[in-house]
Amino acid sequence: PVGESTLDLTFGSTPLRRGVGILSAITWIGVLLTLLLMPLLHLRQTSNSLVARGDTESNRALGSATLTIALVVALLWGLEVMGANWFQLHSQPDQALAAQIPMHADIDDRFRLLGLDPLPTTLTAGEPLSVVAYWRALDEMDENYSVVLRLEPVTGGEPLAEISQLHPSDIPTSGWATGLYLRNKLDMLIPANTPPIQVALRVGFRDPATSQMLPSAEGDTIEVGRMWVLPINTPTPPDGPRAAFGSNIELLGARTDGTQLMLYWRTNAPIEGNPNIFIHLLDAQGQLLGQLDGTPYANRYPLWAWQPGQIIEDIQNLTAANVDLAQLHTIAVGIYDPATGTRLAATDGDGNPLADNAQSIPVAEE
């Protein structure tokens, strides 16, 4: 009914608990009587021989039975009192022993992430991802917040996917006890159109009443892991041209169709620093018409995040350079350090140095 109400909860005995207790007591009495009577029955069956041997043998049998009962009782008492910790797992308030990856990150002085279960290193577009997080409430609260899981490019920007769970593990946050932790399982479907890039997995909490995310030291979410999205189909580069830049970056091939340039890259080891790709559009006299500098997939796949061994199909829209493509004759491609402007040393497929450390790509005629 409308108005203030009081709910009293009492934990007490039930007929089932009492019945099980009585049954347990009867069982233990039976065990003890069995242990006691078995030696006595043995003594009765062999009374003639015991009388012949005297009271010494009888006392010895009774002593053996008594010792057996004492040892059994001591063992049971030891298991109950001393062995409780052998069968129970105790976590401190700021530790979730069940979490295989310990963490310690706070969100708005309300929630603390204590750990995670292991995450995969690769994802497949169109398939599900399960994330298990361990949370603790830092303070009692009246609000019921939603936990949010996001999949973002490592460079930031708009999320590639996001899910929200109003009551984590079906427990409203207003009911979270500060001395306990919560195991929270989150399931996300990776969109089929997710590009094959490195992504960051981030978690946070949202107030459904205001739609505002709670703040954290990293903004409004916490990064919990990074992984690569595998391409649905492995790109097939053309026969050439081939070039090498620096010590471990390869251009496997390139082609144009008049308005698009398709570059096929690969690295055999993690790339250090933060190099950038330059694409210079040249006329027939070699004069610069315009340029497109950046990284694959609309600058969402920086070179330092490339997965070794992956063939990366970098599609560039030439119309974005805002030049007269009718004058376009050649495209020069290379890699440079934005901080210094220095280009990485470049060689052709035969190991010969390339002029200006750039690979020239003729424009296909329509």
Side-chain angles (χ1 to χ4, degrees):
V2 177
E4 184 177 351
S5 301
T6 300
L7 178 64
D8 293 327
L9 301 179
T10 302
F11 179 81
S13 183
T14 64
L16 178 60
R17 288 177 60 89
R18 288 193 294 269
V20 171
I22 294 172
L23 179 61
S24 178
I26 293 173
T27 302
W28 281 115
I29 292 173
V31 171
L32 294 176
L33 288 176
T34 300
L35 293 173
L36 178 63
L37 293 177
M38 284 180 64
L40 296 178
L41 291 174
H42 178 71
L43 289 174
R44 183 176 180 181
Q45 293 172 359
T46 59
S47 59
N48 294 333
S49 63
L50 288 175
V51 170
R53 295 176 185 177
D55 293 340
T56 302
E57 191 71 21
S58 177
N59 292 336
R60 184 180 302 169
L62 288 174
S64 177
T66 304
L67 179 60
T68 301
I69 295 174
L71 290 176
V72 171
V73 172
L75 177 61
L76 294 175
W77 179 83
L79 287 176
E80 180 180 0
V81 177
M82 305 299 295
N85 293 331
W86 301 346
F87 308 104
Q88 297 179 359
L89 188 66
H90 294 275
S91 296
Q92 298 299 322
D94 262 349
Q95 184 182 23
L97 294 181
Q100 300 181 48
I101 304 176
M103 298 187 69
H104 193 283
D106 293 350
I107 295 181
D108 193 33
D109 296 328
R110 292 176 180 263
F111 301 99
R112 176 165 294 165
L113 180 62
L114 300 179
L116 298 167
D117 282 354
L119 296 171
T121 57
T122 59
L123 304 173
T124 302
E127 295 189 359
L129 167 68
S130 293
V131 178
V132 177
Y134 296 81
W135 298 100
R136 176 199 166 199
L138 298 177
D139 196 4
E140 294 182 358
M141 63 194 83
D142 297 325
E143 300 84 1
N144 289 321
Y145 296 99
S146 300
V147 63
V148 176
L149 178 66
R150 288 178 180 170
L151 194 72
E152 300 180 357
V154 292
T155 54
E158 290 296 321
L160 302 169
E162 177 179 307
I163 62 168
S164 179
Q165 194 179 86
L166 178 56
H167 299 315
S169 297
D170 294 327
I171 302 178
T173 58
S174 60
W176 286 17
T178 57
L180 304 176
Y181 70 81
L182 178 84
R183 182 182 185 273
N184 179 210
K185 186 173 184 290
L186 299 162
D187 295 314
M188 170 186 285
L189 181 66
I190 307 302
N193 62 350
T194 304
I197 62 176
Q198 189 182 44
V199 294
L201 199 63
R202 307 185 69 91
V203 293
F205 282 86
R206 175 186 287 124
D207 186 348
T210 63
S211 298
Q212 298 296 314
M213 296 292 294
L214 296 182
S216 73
E218 302 176 19
D220 59 4
T221 54
I222 298 171
E223 182 177 316
V224 296
R226 294 187 176 187
M227 51 209 70
W228 283 281
V229 179
L230 301 178
I232 297 177
N233 298 307
T234 302
T236 302
D239 292 337
R242 295 181 66 95
F245 299 89
S247 59
N248 52 16
I249 302 176
E250 297 177 278
L251 178 65
L252 302 178
R255 60 170 174 259
T256 62
D257 64 0
T259 60
Q260 284 188 328
L261 170 66
M262 286 145 281
L263 304 170
Y264 296 84
W265 301 97
R266 182 174 64 191
T267 180
N268 55 31
I271 299 174
E272 297 181 358
N274 189 26
N276 211 3
I277 299 172
F278 69 82
I279 300 173
H280 290 178
L281 310 183
L282 309 175
D283 62 15
Q285 289 73 42
Q287 298 299 312
L288 181 65
L289 298 173
Q291 65 187 71
L292 298 170
D293 291 5
T295 60
Y297 295 102
N299 295 320
R300 291 183 293 180
Y301 203 8
L303 276 65
W304 53 261
W306 286 6
Q307 182 183 23
Q310 176 189 357
I311 297 178
I312 300 169
E313 186 178 44
D314 181 14
I315 301 177
Q316 297 287 340
N317 186 0
L318 299 178
T319 60
N322 295 319
V323 300
D324 183 5
L325 295 181
Q327 301 182 39
L328 181 59
H329 181 268
T330 306
I331 300 175
V333 176
I335 299 176
Y336 70 102
D337 183 351
T340 63
T342 304
R343 297 183 179 183
L344 270 62
T347 58
D348 61 18
D350 296 325
N352 300 313
L354 291 173
D356 297 326
N357 290 317
Q359 172 65 56
S360 295
I361 302 171
V363 175
E365 297 182 359
E366 297 182 359

